[in-house]
Amino acid sequence: MAQQDAQNGGSETAASAAVSFLAVKPQLLVEAPKANDAVLFYKAAFGAEEVARSLNPKRKAEHELPLILSAELKIAGSTILVADVVDDSASPAKAGGNGVVLCLETEDVEGAIAKAVSAGAAAEGEVVEGEGACCAGRVGKVKDPYGFVWLIFTPGKKCADVEA
Amino acid sequence: MAQQDAQNGGSETAASAAVSFLAVKPQLLVEAPKANDAVLFYKAAFGAEEVARSLNPKRKAEHELPLILSAELKIAGSTILVADVVDDSASPAKAGGNGVVLCLETEDVEGAIAKAVSAGAAAEGEVVEGEGACCAGRVGKVKDPYGFVWLIFTPGKKCADVEA
């Protein structure tokens, strides 16, 4: 298991070892505007409880309901996120080949992206501020060598409380 | 919010309300036999720790390495699962449109599937025993109305300890 040992320890630099993570949450990307329906379904089917919801401040028209940037659900103590995704969206959550992305929380977005890239991931797009897919915040995106998309984010302001 | 109230309470029968869940874990389906490489990558990139691994007892040839039914990784206290998926596999983990499925643990697989179906999900295939994708156990599969696949499972024997 020399290879594993090397991966676990030897290949880390002091700088990259300092990157730490706070949580991983799967985010389900739902074709807008069905995320709210999906949340209702997960409540009915799996007993999910909604603990937070952030809305997209940009509406296309005044009569439209705001889209869900990210709704945070708890099922049996585990967290899943549900988001509306619009085809023309510039959101980093925009589907990267499949409909589930992994949201990885850290206090060092750039450091975490650099570490992932040095391990073989590909950075996608820029780190953006303010319209984080996993609650408003700073967020960047990498695709790992196996095709999975990771949103690496630092939450900004506190998520809006759930609108019961 | 009458619709939400109905979803949260009114539409549940006593039987379906009795179904409870223990955890939700995202499972990343990796083209076999690359799951082991993926595990090494997640260790190097995200500081993942492998806490359990179950192997597929069926090898195609004696010289081949066994495939990973499910490797359980912890990243910052959150769990992700990584599995080898073979194209000709009859495994319920076989991709259902995208490469991430949600593994939902319960002690009542049939009850949970019935509840999900009554809420609008489609059952896929039979409940199978012994070769659970999320550790050996009993597992069934539903696809929800938004296209996401949920493996609803009860773990069987304890997962094999990680082979360090």
Side-chain angles (χ1 to χ4, degrees), chain A residues 93-148:
Chain A
K94 195 176 163 185
N98 74 51
V100 181
V101 296
L102 288 307
C103 293
L104 187 55
E105 183 177 349
T106 179
E107 288 175 354
D108 181 3
V109 171
E110 281 79 3
I113 290 175
K115 187 175 175 184
V117 168
S118 76
E124 302 208 328
E126 303 289 312
V127 174
V128 295
E129 193 106 26
E131 196 201 314
C134 320
C135 297
R138 308 189 67 231
V139 60
K141 185 162 80 165
V142 300
K143 184 180 275 193
D144 75 32
Y146 309 94
F148 302 101

Side-chain angles (χ1 to χ4, degrees), chain A residues 1 4 7-8 21-22 24 29 37-38 40-44 46 76 78 98-99 104 115 119 144 146 148 150 164, chain B residues 1 4 7-8 21-22 24 29 37-38 41-44 46 76 78 98-99 104 115 119 144 146 148 150 164:
Chain A
M1 291 292 138
Q4 214 159 21
Q7 295 272 11
N8 280 339
F21 299 99
L22 302 169
V24 184
L29 307 179
D37 292 340
L40 294 176
F41 171 82
Y42 298 129
K43 288 180 178 177
F46 304 134
S78 304
N98 74 51
L104 187 55
K115 187 175 175 184
D144 75 32
Y146 309 94
F148 302 101
W150 298 73
Chain B
M1 293 293 139
Q4 213 159 23
Q7 295 271 11
N8 280 339
F21 299 99
L22 303 169
V24 184
L29 308 178
D37 292 341
F41 170 82
Y42 298 129
K43 288 179 179 177
F46 305 134
S78 305
N98 73 51
L104 186 54
K115 188 175 175 183
D144 75 31
Y146 309 94
F148 302 101
W150 297 74

Side-chain angles (χ1 to χ4, degrees), chain A:
Chain A
M1 291 292 138
Q3 191 189 359
Q4 214 159 21
D5 289 346
Q7 295 272 11
N8 280 339
S11 65
E12 284 188 352
T13 66
S16 66
V19 175
S20 65
F21 299 99
L22 302 169
V24 184
K25 300 170 185 174
Q27 185 175 53
L28 283 50
L29 307 179
V30 176
E31 187 193 348
K34 294 183 185 164
N36 189 60
D37 292 340
V39 168
L40 294 176
F41 171 82
Y42 298 129
K43 288 180 178 177
F46 304 134
E49 282 179 56
E50 187 172 348
V51 295
R53 176 181 291 206
S54 56
L55 298 174
N56 193 326
K58 300 173 203 153
R59 299 187 197 190
K60 288 191 177 169
E62 209 42 57
H63 61 276
E64 281 184 357
L65 287 174
L67 297 181
I68 295 178
L69 273 182
S70 191
E72 180 166 344
L73 307 183
K74 287 266 185 198
I75 300 176
S78 304
T79 298
I80 66 167
L81 306 174
V82 179
D84 274 315
V85 176
V86 185
D87 253 356
D88 63 357
S89 167
S91 161
K94 195 176 163 185
N98 74 51
V100 181
V101 296
L102 288 307
C103 293
L104 187 55
E105 183 177 349
T106 179
E107 288 175 354
D108 181 3
V109 171
E110 281 79 3
I113 290 175
K115 187 175 175 184
V117 168
S118 76
E124 302 208 328
E126 303 289 312
V127 174
V128 295
E129 193 106 26
E131 196 201 314
C134 320
C135 297
R138 308 189 67 231
V139 60
K141 185 162 80 165
V142 300
K143 184 180 275 193
D144 75 32
Y146 309 94
F148 302 101
V149 173
W150 298 73
L151 296 185
I152 296 178
F153 77 105
T154 299
K157 14 178 186 182
K158 195 173 163 300
C159 292
D161 285 335
V162 52
E163 301 177 13

